[in-house]
Amino acid sequence: MSDYELPDFAIEDDERCEEQVKLEVITPALERAGWPKKQLRMEHLTPGKMILDSKSCRRDTRSRKVDYLLISKGGKGLAVVEAKKECYPDEHGIQQAIAYAQMLEVPFAYSTSGHGFMEQDMITGKICRLALDEFPSEDDLWKRYTEERNLPLESSLSEPFFTEMNGKVPRYYQRVAVNCILEAIESGKKRVLSVMATGTGKTFVCMQVIHKLLAHNPNAKILFLEDRNGLVDQTMANDFKHFQNSMTKIQKKTLNSAYSIHMSLYQQLVDDSKPSQPYTQFKPDYFDYVFVDECHRGSAKEDSEWRQILDYFESAVQIGVTATPKEDREASTTEYFGKSVYTYSYRQGVEDGFLAPFVAYDDTSNIDWHWEPGMEVEDIDGNPVEGPFDFRDYDRRVIVPDRNRMVAERVVEWLSENGWMCKTIVFCETEEHAARIRDYIKELVPEQVAKNPNYCVRITASDKEGIKQLENFNDRFSAYPVIATTSELLTTGHDCFMTKLIVIDKLVGSKTQFKQILGRGSRMDEKLGKTHFTVIDFRHATSLLDKDWDGDVEPYEESGRHEVIHVEVPPRPERPQYEKIVIKTPIPVEIEQEIIKVYGNGKMTFENLVDYSKKKFLGYCPNLSDFLATWNSENRKDVIIGELERKGVLIDEILDRRGRPDIDVFDILIELAYGNIPLTKTQRVDNVVNSDQFNQYGGTAREILKTLLEVYATRPDEEIGNMQLLTLDEFEQFGTPVQIMKAFGGKEKYLDAVYSIQKLLYAEV
């Protein structure tokens, strides 16, 4: 093999790089300590978050990767080992190791550069140093972990996870959730709560917990409670399908003790019309474990009928799971179950790249804030209509058909721009309201209805024909129905995998309900093109989307649709009982205000994008000197750009809008933030070539650097420090990459020269 064919510019180095240290030192040390290779994980924990821009959604490839995750035979993470280059002290990576240990709920964190190990005990807080041959074995760490956590040496935590050929492999947070729940159970807790955002696999986690409990104690009896029949069937058919021989569904209020797992609706266990309740067919101590899915609902309320089931089986360990714990004056999930032993929020799911981000449009019509109908407005009986009304009244107290039609038109407008087959859910005030919206949408898209009469359907509790379409709507491979109008039925629990548009035209009374609605769109399927979703909100539910909800969200006013008007909404006085008023007189209704709220990096107008990015940029670098110091602190500029993107600066959007490939991102950023007049790349190259420092180089080295600058000036998005540039045709005259670097005295001197020129390139002018 010639020098030119050597991969990655293979060059002799006195010090071993991180990968060499791992290969030659750390892995052998761990294997000598008795760790089997299959229990040494070197894995990407997250795929990288999805980033929205005005044209598409792309994945940020900067994923989180742990150097070593050491797991027990049962799949419990015991240790994280962070590796560093040989030139660093062993403790150099300890903070990074601690961060991963916290993320993975791992009890021990280690850092090493190949000389020895620095250990941080995450339970006791103790720190110690170990020689290379002193790394603890699995048995040693397991014993320390169980003793420090006061856990039995052998328990359900020791049992392996359930796996099947070509089946789902637990994500990192699902493994953590399972282990946290089991650790709480094994430590003696009688009530356990886990909070996991919609779309993160709560029932899959429950399945793994039950699998481990039964593997450790095959005689255990388990009750799994749901509050909707469709959710029971969905759970049994999907995540719980491998329990089919040991699982039964309680029906007709009849219990059968022949099975280990009993799936049931609350309603199947309660019957106040009979002298004794159905659940008394079993003794109070019959069940060892009671799982409560969506436990924020009835079970959190002290006087609910559902609570009596939990009170009756109080000797069982009770495990509650929910995406949205309820905390108000009527009910408290945590008061009953206690503080969550593991929480994986929607925000974290988006940051990790497992959940879809979204853009929300808060749309206000000209009659939403305050409407006085006037004497000329009549109802369907010809009577004058007295107001005032606002958005809280529509489709409950008063029906304005023209407002319904406006909502339908906005939905159709979005679909025409983004694709007629985008799965859509419209949440309405009532079932009758859902029928009206369905009919208006169908009127507006006759060509789509002609292709399939189920293009738009109502799916509500009383609509038997609509409910028949629910399974098709949820099926990720079924095209029809495309649009579902509903009231309450789809608010929670259903796996609407491909929902790309959520429309809210109902009053949302709490953050809990709002998060449940958003959960209908949070799932992702990149292979099928589901990477993000949109919310169109006609009832200002997105006012619940604030920093106290689930992450910081910035509001932006859209300048392209209508002039923005801000009106204070006065408190609405209590109204007596009333009959619905249906407006007959045509009312001109149009969207008067549209505010865009972006979760993560999102779609904005150019003006708002600039304001948003400038604000985020200045929060990171308040003045030019700060930015110059930051920019020159790293030789690799993609590191700085990546950090700015993580801070919220929408660099790709700005570059796309600016449309100047002849200007470096450096100049575009300082123009954006500080108002500096940008230089072109050619101007910056000329400044370098004419400098005294550049003239210090002579002969071949000078020509190489000059060619490097010419490549930088003519190719977009290239850094002169990228050694891959040396493989371009322009450098063939100077030989192979290895020969080019030898012209400077070796790799390190070549890089010193390049980074020295790079600093000149970005010098303030």
Side-chain angles (χ1 to χ4, degrees):
M1 180 182 286
S2 68
D3 287 345
Y4 188 80
E5 296 173 315
L6 287 174
D8 298 324
F9 317 114
I11 297 175
E12 291 295 326
D13 199 334
D14 292 336
E15 293 177 336
R16 286 177 285 196
C17 68
E18 181 179 314
E19 292 303 316
Q20 287 176 298
V21 170
K22 288 164 65 176
L23 177 66
E24 299 172 11
V25 182
I26 303 174
T27 299
L30 297 177
E31 290 178 344
R32 286 195 300 273
W35 286 92
K37 286 185 178 180
K38 64 180 181 180
Q39 290 174 236
L40 302 180
R41 300 279 183 86
M42 305 176 193
E43 60 182 87
H44 287 275
L45 301 177
T46 68
K49 71 181 290 186
M50 302 303 301
I51 300 176
L52 289 169
D53 60 34
S54 63
K55 296 179 180 179
S56 62
C57 189
R58 61 182 176 84
R59 190 177 284 283
D60 185 344
T61 56
R62 292 183 293 267
S63 61
R64 294 177 180 176
K65 182 181 179 183
V66 62
D67 286 335
Y68 294 88
L69 171 62
L70 278 56
I71 63 170
S72 71
K73 294 180 181 67
K76 164 65 183 174
L78 288 176
V80 167
V81 181
E82 181 63 27
K84 293 298 177 185
K85 289 174 63 175
E86 191 175 37
C87 61
Y88 291 117
D90 285 323
E91 64 270 21
H92 186 73
I94 194 63
Q95 284 305 123
Q96 192 173 350
I98 289 171
Y100 280 128
Q102 290 173 325
M103 177 181 179
L104 296 167
E105 295 282 346
V106 166
F108 306 103
Y110 295 88
S111 173
T112 179
S113 55
H115 309 291
F117 294 95
M118 169 70 78
E119 178 192 88
Q120 169 76 64
D121 188 318
M122 302 296 293
I123 302 174
T124 66
K126 293 181 180 179
I127 300 173
C128 68
R129 290 182 181 273
L130 303 172
L132 279 176
D133 59 357
E134 292 179 325
F135 195 88
S137 67
E138 177 190 356
D139 290 342
D140 292 335
L141 289 187
W142 184 260
K143 184 178 180 181
R144 285 174 59 188
Y145 158 65
T146 53
E147 287 178 351
E148 291 174 8
R149 287 291 192 198
N150 196 26
L151 298 168
L153 195 61
E154 294 294 330
S155 70
S156 57
L157 281 161
S158 310
E159 302 294 339
F161 280 81
F162 173 77
T163 57
E164 59 182 342
M165 189 173 295
N166 300 321
K168 282 197 293 187
V169 176
R171 295 169 175 170
Y172 87 86
Y173 66 84
Q174 292 169 337
R175 295 197 302 264
V176 174
V178 170
N179 288 322
C180 285
I181 292 170
L182 290 173
E183 185 176 299
I185 292 172
E186 297 296 350
S187 67
K189 286 188 180 239
K190 297 296 288 183
R191 296 177 184 174
V192 180
L193 174 66
S194 179
V195 176
M196 297 179 68
T198 301
T200 57
K202 294 187 297 297
T203 53
F204 180 70
V205 165
C206 288
M207 180 275 287
Q208 292 287 359
V209 171
I210 292 172
H211 168 77
K212 282 173 169 271
L213 290 172
L214 290 176
H216 185 66
N217 178 14
N219 296 319
K221 297 293 186 181
I222 294 165
L223 175 63
F224 195 93
L225 294 172
E226 297 271 19
D227 69 333
R228 292 185 181 177
N229 191 57
L231 301 184
V232 175
D233 294 338
Q234 180 177 278
T235 299
M236 294 179 70
N238 297 323
D239 288 322
F240 280 32
K241 62 185 178 182
H242 83 279
F243 293 138
Q244 57 184 333
N245 294 328
S246 57
M247 172 177 60
T248 184
K249 178 182 178 182
I250 297 175
Q251 300 183 79
K252 297 181 180 180
K253 304 184 185 299
T254 302
L255 284 65
N256 185 341
S257 61
Y259 295 89
S260 298
I261 304 171
H262 298 258
M263 309 292 293
S264 180
L265 294 176
Y266 289 96
Q267 296 91 323
Q268 287 290 331
L269 297 178
V270 176
D271 190 347
D272 290 331
S273 67
K274 295 184 178 181
S276 64
Q277 295 288 359
Y279 55 75
T280 60
Q281 295 174 51
F282 285 141
K283 293 180 179 180
D285 62 353
Y286 180 80
F287 288 110
D288 299 286
Y289 305 97
V290 177
F291 285 77
V292 186
D293 194 17
E294 304 294 352
C295 66
H296 65 282
R297 296 173 71 84
S299 59
K301 196 172 181 179
E302 190 170 353
D303 60 352
S304 85
E305 291 182 344
W306 298 350
R307 180 67 72 86
Q308 62 183 285
I309 302 171
L310 301 184
D311 290 342
Y312 182 77
F313 295 117
E314 65 177 349
S315 64
V317 176
Q318 297 177 2
I319 301 103
V321 292
T322 180
T324 52
K326 189 172 185 179
E327 302 295 328
D328 57 33
R329 65 181 62 183
E330 293 184 356
S332 171
T333 308
T334 56
E335 183 179 342
Y336 183 80
F337 285 100
K339 184 180 178 182
S340 176
V341 297
Y342 182 69
T343 297
Y344 190 76
S345 69
Y346 176 67
R347 178 180 184 176
Q348 189 61 54
V350 171
E351 288 298 315
D352 285 346
F354 294 118
L355 293 179
F358 68 91
V359 178
Y361 294 81
D362 188 336
D363 285 3
T364 306
S365 81
N366 55 305
I367 66 169
D368 276 8
W369 293 123
H370 186 82
W371 181 45
E372 295 275 5
M375 295 300 295
E376 72 280 3
V377 177
E378 297 180 348
D379 65 16
I380 56 173
D381 296 321
N383 301 315
V385 179
E386 293 184 10
F389 304 113
D390 61 48
F391 68 93
R392 294 168 291 188
D393 294 307
Y394 300 130
D395 302 294
R396 284 282 182 184
R397 181 167 182 252
V398 59
I399 297 169
V400 184
D402 289 300
R403 188 184 183 279
N404 292 160
R405 187 174 181 84
M406 178 273 296
V407 170
E409 288 173 344
R410 180 71 177 96
V411 174
V412 170
E413 176 190 34
W414 188 92
L415 289 168
S416 69
E417 293 173 354
N418 295 276
W420 291 111
M421 301 305 290
C422 293
K423 293 276 187 173
T424 300
I425 304 177
V426 184
F427 289 97
C428 303
E429 278 287 350
T430 65
E431 293 193 6
E432 294 77 12
H433 181 203
R436 290 195 300 275
I437 295 295
R438 174 200 61 196
D439 294 343
Y440 278 122
I441 290 175
K442 292 178 76 171
E443 285 180 15
L444 292 167
V445 290
E447 67 286 353
Q448 300 300 327
V449 176
K451 294 177 183 177
N452 191 303
N454 289 323
Y455 181 78
C456 180
V457 300
R458 181 179 72 161
I459 302 179
T460 58
S462 67
D463 192 329
K464 294 181 180 179
E465 292 304 313
I467 289 178
K468 290 179 182 178
Q469 295 297 326
L470 179 56
E471 185 176 348
N472 291 331
F473 183 79
N474 290 339
D475 187 343
R476 68 184 79 197
F477 300 107
S478 179
Y480 297 97
V482 174
I483 305 171
T485 65
T486 189
S487 177
E488 294 289 341
L489 187 61
L490 295 180
T491 302
T492 184
H494 291 282
D495 295 336
C496 309
F497 291 99
M498 296 303 294
T499 303
K500 294 186 178 181
L501 175 63
I502 292 173
V503 181
I504 303 174
D505 196 23
K506 65 177 292 176
L507 292 179
V508 178
S510 67
K511 293 180 182 180
T512 296
Q513 186 182 21
F514 183 49
K515 289 173 71 174
Q516 288 287 347
I517 288 174
L518 288 180
R520 301 316 103 208
S522 62
R523 289 170 174 81
M524 287 206 311
D525 193 322
E526 284 185 86
K527 292 181 179 178
L528 296 179
K530 171 66 189 300
T531 57
H532 60 286
F533 67 104
T534 299
V535 175
I536 301 179
D537 174 23
F538 294 99
R539 303 290 176 132
H540 315 298
T542 48
S543 62
L544 299 168
L545 193 65
D546 56 30
K547 64 182 179 181
D548 297 322
W549 174 70
D550 201 10
D552 297 327
V553 177
E554 299 288 341
Y556 294 93
E557 296 167 355
E558 171 68 52
S559 62
R561 184 178 288 276
H562 295 281
E563 180 182 357
V564 175
I565 301 171
H566 295 283
V567 180
E568 291 294 326
V569 182
R572 181 171 55 179
E574 290 295 324
R575 301 186 189 276
Q577 290 294 320
Y578 55 81
E579 293 183 2
K580 283 183 184 175
I581 301 168
V582 181
I583 302 297
K584 177 183 178 182
T585 306
I587 303 297
V589 182
E590 62 181 4
I591 295 175
E592 186 175 62
Q593 170 179 298
E594 184 170 82
I595 298 175
I596 300 177
K597 296 180 179 179
V598 182
Y599 196 95
N601 295 341
K603 178 180 178 182
M604 306 176 190
T605 61
F606 179 49
E607 293 78 15
N608 290 327
L609 184 148
V610 170
D611 293 341
Y612 173 76
S613 291
K614 182 175 180 179
K615 176 183 175 182
K616 292 294 185 181
F617 188 99
L618 291 175
Y620 184 57
C621 297
N623 53 59
L624 181 58
S625 59
D626 290 333
F627 176 62
L628 291 175
T630 301
W631 187 260
N632 289 317
S633 66
E634 284 279 353
N635 291 328
R636 288 179 52 201
K637 300 311 172 190
D638 62 344
V639 174
I640 302 296
I641 291 171
E643 182 62 19
L644 288 170
E645 288 181 332
R646 283 188 287 275
K647 296 292 184 182
V649 182
L650 308 179
I651 291 177
D652 286 345
E653 280 277 348
I654 293 169
L655 293 176
D656 185 55
R657 301 276 185 167
R658 193 72 171 82
R660 289 288 303 274
D662 61 326
I663 297 179
D664 193 286
V665 63
F666 172 87
D667 283 283
I668 290 175
L669 289 173
I670 62 175
E671 178 191 33
L672 165 77
Y674 313 111
N676 288 39
I677 297 174
L679 298 180
T680 66
K681 289 183 176 182
T682 300
Q683 288 172 320
R684 288 203 170 273
V685 167
D686 289 342
N687 291 337
V688 172
V689 172
N690 294 324
S691 67
D692 293 336
Q693 188 171 338
F694 185 81
N695 289 327
Q696 293 176 4
Y697 296 96
T700 302
R702 177 187 174 88
E703 291 304 311
I704 291 170
L705 292 175
K706 191 173 180 181
T707 302
L708 198 60
L709 289 169
E710 290 171 355
V711 168
Y712 155 82
T714 56
R715 290 175 180 261
D717 305 323
E718 290 292 359
E719 290 184 27
I720 65 171
N722 180 4
M723 289 195 293
Q724 292 291 341
L725 293 178
L726 300 182
T727 64
L728 296 175
D729 294 341
E730 288 89 336
F731 292 93
E732 282 188 357
Q733 59 182 311
F734 305 113
T736 67
V738 172
Q739 291 169 335
I740 289 172
M741 287 183 275
K742 285 182 178 178
F744 291 81
K747 175 183 174 183
E748 295 302 324
K749 290 185 178 180
Y750 166 77
L751 290 175
D752 286 343
V754 169
Y755 293 141
S756 175
I757 295 302
Q758 185 172 265
K759 287 186 178 180
L760 278 179
L761 195 63
Y762 296 117
E764 185 180 1
V765 178

